[in-house]
Amino acid sequence: MLRQHNYSLKNNNTFGIDCRAAEFIEYDSVEDLQRVIPELKGRRVLHIGGGSNLLFTGDFPGVVLHSRIKGIDILDETDETVVIRVGAAEVWDDLVAYAVKNGWNGIENLSLIPGETGAAAVQNIGAYGTEVKDVILSVETLSLENGKMRTFSNAECGYAYRQSVFKKSLKGQYAVISVTMRLSKQFSPNVGYGNIRQALEGRELTASNVRQAIIDIRNQKLPDPKVTGNAGSFFVNPVVDADKFNDLRQQYPDMPYYEVEGGFKIPAGWLIEQAGWKGRALGRAAVHDRQALVIVNLGGASAAEIVRLSERVRKDVFSKFGVSISPEVNFV
Ligand code: EPU
């Protein structure tokens, strides 16, 4: 177990914000974590994963927890499926690579998403028509209040688009220890989204080629956080009702959209680009020039600069379209 006071979080958030935690604890086992729980009482606690969906707006005056529990265990295997339990600290894309290599299908569309497996289950990561909730059977957690293990079934996780109970009603109450998933030995390609089919042209339809095509698309559009600080999509795509959608469609016949439960999802990246922000900077923060949904740190940006830019973008999108967009990134 690693414990450090006045710990720099610069390498624990992909925006590269230089801030400090009063205390940082990295635990190697459930027992380690149980041991520190009594000390957490009355203090602010933040459990992080890979830090790829976080914006620290200042020093964190409490305890930042991080898991080092890794491992991929096979719990059950048949000719058709495999059930695996994955440690929360397992790097998500390493898991995808391992699954594809073993012929375990279902998460190849989630290739190259930054972050760790525990956070993937909290955030319900999604891309190219797949969400992690589609393969999750259960999430094994530890209560940060009483130190007891609790398993959440998929239904108990309350999954929705980029949402779960761990982000809402139970926020901050449980640490994810591991995630149990069922993957399939049959490959059912999910290549209906956007330009995937096109990117696959000339390549055989295999999980490994789908993974490669997605890696290629992401590399073209999304900045590498190791080079340019960012946290992927800064905003969630807004859902508007049918009336609003019809108004917008009339004015903007080329507007992309997806029909979803409860209305129509409009890509925030499109709204931001139309509002004139794609590629524009404000101080040392900028809207990415290849995907307007992403805000980048041009180098040494403060969290305040990033927040200021995001607020300007929100305001301009609202005045142009009357649509309110909200951050996907967690502000701390
Ligand atoms: N678009 C623009 N301009 C832009 C960006 C997008 O016009 O600058 C248009 C595109 O032309 C396309 C549509 O918007 O018609 C959708 O774009 P894209 O396929 O890039 O996806 P997105 O809706 O912008 C979402 C996820 C991404 C995920 C992609 C692919 C959210 C908040 N974001 O973005 O997730 O990779 O779909 O499935 O839902 C993330 O969460 O960090 C992330 C990158």
Side-chain angles (χ1 to χ4, degrees):
M1 179 156 61
L2 172 110
R3 292 187 78 153
Q4 225 165 297
H5 289 273
N6 194 25
Y7 176 88
S8 168
L9 293 162
K10 195 166 193 293
N11 296 323
N12 295 84
N13 74 100
T14 57
F15 257 124
I17 302 290
D18 199 0
C19 56
R20 283 177 181 270
E23 187 171 7
F24 183 74
I25 300 178
E26 219 161 30
Y27 56 90
D28 294 287
S29 64
V30 167
E31 294 71 31
D32 264 4
L33 180 57
Q34 279 169 328
R35 228 167 282 135
V36 298
I37 282 176
E39 298 175 45
L40 304 179
K41 278 223 159 46
R43 300 171 78 183
R44 271 185 71 190
V45 177
L46 173 72
H47 199 303
I48 63 168
S52 53
N53 203 36
L54 276 181
L55 179 62
F56 285 108
T57 55
D59 288 343
F60 188 76
V63 185
V64 173
L65 293 173
H66 184 236
S67 169
R68 284 202 295 218
I69 301 177
K70 289 197 169 202
I72 303 173
D73 297 322
I74 297 180
L75 301 187
D76 186 35
E77 190 167 8
T78 66
D79 288 346
E80 281 92 40
T81 63
V82 61
V83 175
I84 52 174
R85 181 184 289 151
V86 185
E90 204 62 61
V91 169
W92 174 259
D93 192 55
D94 291 352
L95 169 66
V96 179
Y98 185 75
V100 168
K101 200 174 104 227
N102 280 286
W104 303 340
N105 305 296
I107 51 175
E108 55 283 350
N109 284 27
L110 305 180
S111 289
L112 212 63
I113 295 185
E116 295 170 1
T117 303
V122 169
Q123 163 75 357
N124 186 22
I125 57 168
Y128 309 105
T130 299
E131 289 181 305
V132 74
K133 75 164 172 58
D134 305 337
V135 298
I136 288 179
L137 292 179
S138 62
V139 178
E140 293 76 49
T141 70
L142 188 90
S143 163
L144 293 175
E145 264 137 47
N146 61 22
K148 289 195 183 133
M149 288 292 293
R150 174 169 170 194
T151 296
F152 288 78
S153 67
N154 179 302
E156 286 170 328
C157 293
Y159 282 128
Y161 168 55
R162 300 290 196 274
Q163 273 305 343
S164 73
V165 284
F166 308 113
K167 287 180 75 180
K168 282 182 141 172
S169 55
L170 302 180
K171 192 173 175 175
Q173 293 182 34
Y174 292 89
V176 175
I177 302 298
S178 59
V179 183
T180 300
M181 303 173 208
R182 180 184 281 129
L183 300 175
S184 172
K185 294 190 180 175
Q186 254 89 50
F187 175 50
S188 326
N190 182 2
V191 291
Y193 184 95
N195 44 0
I196 296 197
R197 204 175 280 280
Q198 210 179 313
L200 273 162
E201 228 161 57
R203 299 190 228 183
E204 205 190 326
L205 195 53
T206 62
S208 156
N209 284 342
V210 168
R211 169 167 166 79
Q212 196 51 53
I214 284 170
I215 289 175
D216 294 345
I217 296 173
R218 290 186 72 96
N219 280 336
Q220 270 165 30
K221 287 195 172 186
L222 299 166
D224 178 354
K226 287 192 199 96
V227 181
T228 310
N230 76 92
S233 300
F234 195 90
F235 299 98
V236 282
N237 288 330
V239 174
V240 299
D241 65 21
D243 285 350
K244 182 70 196 174
F245 173 72
N246 289 328
D247 282 358
L248 288 169
R249 272 289 271 183
Q250 233 165 22
Q251 263 183 289
Y252 306 98
D254 297 332
M255 177 179 75
Y257 65 91
Y258 317 93
E259 212 174 329
V260 294
E261 227 182 272
F264 296 84
K265 195 186 268 184
I266 315 287
W270 183 86
L271 297 167
I272 296 166
E273 178 169 353
Q274 297 300 310
W277 273 103
K278 193 169 186 167
R280 266 176 71 190
L282 197 62
R284 290 165 296 177
V287 173
H288 187 48
D289 54 3
R290 278 170 285 149
Q291 160 56 292
L293 198 52
V294 177
I295 290 184
V296 294
N297 179 349
L298 294 174
S302 65
E305 278 176 290
I306 291 166
V307 172
R308 186 159 59 111
L309 170 64
S310 75
E311 271 162 11
R312 281 282 297 276
V313 167
R314 276 182 88 175
K315 195 167 136 258
D316 286 0
V317 164
F318 189 78
S319 14
K320 187 169 169 76
F321 298 100
V323 175
S324 170
I325 54 173
S326 33
E328 177 190 306
V329 168
N330 294 311
F331 289 38
V332 180

